[in-house]
Amino acid sequence: MGAWTVLLVSLLTCAVLLRPTSSDPSDEACLTHLSQSIQDTRSLQNWTKSTFANPCNGFTAYLQGATCNNGRIYKLSLTNLALRGSISPFLANCTNLQALDLSSNFLTGPIPSDLQYLVNLAVLNLSSNRLDGTIPPQLSFCAYLNVIDLHDNLLTGPIPQEFGLLVRLSAFDVSKNRLSGPIPVSLSNRSRNSPKFNASSFDGNKDLYGYPLPPLKSKGLSVLAIVGIGLGSGFASLVLSFTGVCIWLKITERKMALDEGKISQLMPDY
Ligand SMILES: *[C@@H]1O[C@H](CO)[C@@H](O)[C@H](O)[C@H]1NC(C)=O
Ligand SMILES: *[C@@H]1O[C@H](CO)[C@@H](O)[C@H](O)[C@H]1NC(C)=O
Ligand SMILES: *[C@@H]1O[C@H](CO)[C@@H](O)[C@H](O)[C@H]1NC(C)=O
Ligand SMILES: *[C@@H]1O[C@H](CO)[C@@H](O)[C@H](O)[C@H]1NC(C)=O
Ligand SMILES: *[C@@H]1O[C@H](CO)[C@@H](O)[C@H](O)[C@H]1NC(C)=O
């Protein structure tokens, strides 16, 4: 019995180890589209068509920035490489992806809502790019997300309420964007066991408000005050110049009357 088990296990191990270089059609579609959307991948080692067909051999990756697990791409880390272009929605075809880090590049365009199909995704770091558009609420379907770092982009709109569903979230940073609206209470006041995110996660978004950001208080008042002073001084100068004109008119009128008097004095009476 024991010998059979050992034999079976070693046969299985052999089969796994000797498995030829796997070519996964979804990983190939993912990489092909990503390399197209990033536009210029000449600086990236082995980012060529032939490698996309065979990016992995078991746990060995042949593609710069990729990590493989059992013949599938499971990490993509292309940071600080001056990449331009956008993030292809076809990235969702890398269905085994657990970590996606494209931080510190010059990527533009939206965060594709199709990333929701990356059901194993635990780390999403797209920080320090030029991404715009809104944050897709569908990312909340990636239930294993631990890290969402989107800081330093040009993202607009609200922080999705649905992110409160991401119970595993331990790092969250959307600072330095153009987000607006209230911070979802589901994110700022988490249940006892989950970590809280402090103001540094939300700073640098002009129209974002609510706990844990400091209340607006005097800021709103001072804006009003400045407007008030501006309007007030405008009105005051209007009144002043109007009075000035009135006084000037009065003086000239009097002068004219006086001159008229002089003239009438000089004129001989008929
Ligand atoms: C890639 O994803 C798209 C959309 O999700 C799907 O239609 C297509 O069949 C996928 N391609 C492969 C090769 O998996
Ligand atoms: C590029 O591919 C070659 C062979 O296919 C491999 O030896 C090399 O390690 C790869 N480079 C990287 C950065 O993975
Ligand atoms: C995301 O990437 C940036 C730059 O590469 C790094 O500084 C930051 O720590 C990463 N975020 C997280 C939460 O690991
Ligand atoms: C969140 O919790 C803090 C203290 O833990 C509390 O002061 C604050 O009022 C709460 N905010 C909301 C919106 O519940
Ligand atoms: C906010 O949280 C971050 C980690 O998430 C920590 O590094 C930082 O010191 C905290 N800041 C304050 C003011 O508590």
Side-chain angles (χ1 to χ4, degrees), residues 191-219:
S191 58
R192 259 173 301 155
N193 309 332
S194 310
K196 279 188 182 180
F197 307 116
N198 61 34
S200 68
S201 296
F202 305 100
D203 271 341
N205 290 281
K206 206 161 65 68
D207 297 320
L208 204 61
Y209 59 89
Y211 181 84
L213 287 177
L216 295 172
K217 51 173 182 176
S218 56
K219 201 178 164 194

Side-chain angles (χ1 to χ4, degrees), residues 24 32 34 46 50 60 80 84 86 130-131 170 176 189 194 204 215 226 230 241 243:
D24 187 274
T32 306
L34 182 64
N46 290 354
S50 56
T60 309
N80 206 11
R84 289 167 190 282
S86 61
R130 293 169 186 167
L131 300 170
S170 58
K176 292 205 253 172
N189 276 15
S194 310
I226 288 162
S241 41
T243 317

Side-chain angles (χ1 to χ4, degrees), residues 23-45:
S23 54
D24 187 274
S26 7
D27 277 359
E28 185 178 0
C30 159
L31 296 167
T32 306
H33 283 95
L34 182 64
S35 80
Q36 282 163 4
S37 76
I38 286 177
Q39 288 172 3
D40 191 358
T41 49
R42 276 175 301 183
S43 62
L44 302 180
Q45 262 193 66

Side-chain angles (χ1 to χ4, degrees), residues 79-80 101-104 123-128 147-149 151 171-173:
T79 98
N80 206 11
D101 187 349
L102 303 175
S103 60
S104 302
V123 175
L124 179 64
N125 194 343
L126 305 176
S127 62
S128 300
V147 172
I148 298 182
D149 192 345
H151 85 265
F172 183 75
D173 193 347

Side-chain angles (χ1 to χ4, degrees), residues 85-87 106-112 130-133 153 155:
S86 61
I87 303 173
F106 302 108
L107 298 172
T108 52
I111 300 172
R130 293 169 186 167
L131 300 170
D132 59 19
N153 276 290
L155 299 167

